[in-house]
Amino acid sequence: MTNTVDFQKSFDAVQSLMNLQAAAITKSIEQQKKSGEELTSFFQSEAEKAKELKTPEELIKFNMEANKALFELLKSQGEAFTSIANETREAAMAELQSMTK
């Protein structure tokens, strides 16, 4: 019983998976840059708002609202990274499944 090995198919599959990894890394780096810019902008904006505070009540209200906005921003950033990971996982699984056919 002799089976021939299709090295080209294996090479193509490995190359495809490496391309998926490279694309995921590129998307992740772009998302990190975007996230950093969003955080910088957020803190700059909040610092400007804080300059206008006059009373302890205003400070407490500002702090609560700023923290809520920050957590929402971080949540959306986390969801963006999760989306990248899920897209990459699904593409890799599809590639691996096509190899077994």
Side-chain angles (χ1 to χ4, degrees):
M1 187 173 185
T2 305
N3 291 334
T4 59
V5 177
D6 185 353
F7 286 109
Q8 186 61 42
K9 185 176 180 181
S10 296
F11 177 77
D12 290 344
V14 168
Q15 186 176 21
S16 179
L17 290 172
M18 289 178 70
N19 288 338
L20 284 171
Q21 289 175 333
I25 290 168
T26 298
K27 287 179 186 177
S28 179
I29 290 169
E30 290 169 357
Q31 183 60 43
Q32 288 172 2
K33 181 180 178 208
K34 180 181 175 189
S35 294
E37 291 168 352
E38 288 173 343
L39 285 170
T40 299
S41 176
F42 173 83
F43 284 114
Q44 288 173 341
S45 174
E46 295 304 301
E48 287 300 314
K49 291 178 192 175
K51 291 179 183 178
E52 305 299 319
L53 301 174
K54 307 252 188 280
T55 66
E57 292 81 13
E58 288 177 347
L59 176 63
I60 291 170
K61 183 179 177 185
F62 166 79
N63 192 20
M64 295 293 288
E65 290 172 357
N67 280 323
K68 182 179 177 187
L70 176 60
F71 289 129
E72 288 299 320
L73 176 61
L74 294 173
K75 178 183 172 191
S76 71
Q77 290 176 348
E79 289 169 349
F81 282 108
T82 298
S83 176
I84 293 168
N86 286 335
E87 289 171 10
T88 303
R89 178 186 49 80
E90 289 169 8
M93 291 305 296
E95 181 62 34
L96 290 171
Q97 286 176 348
S98 73
M99 289 172 45
T100 60
K101 291 180 182 179

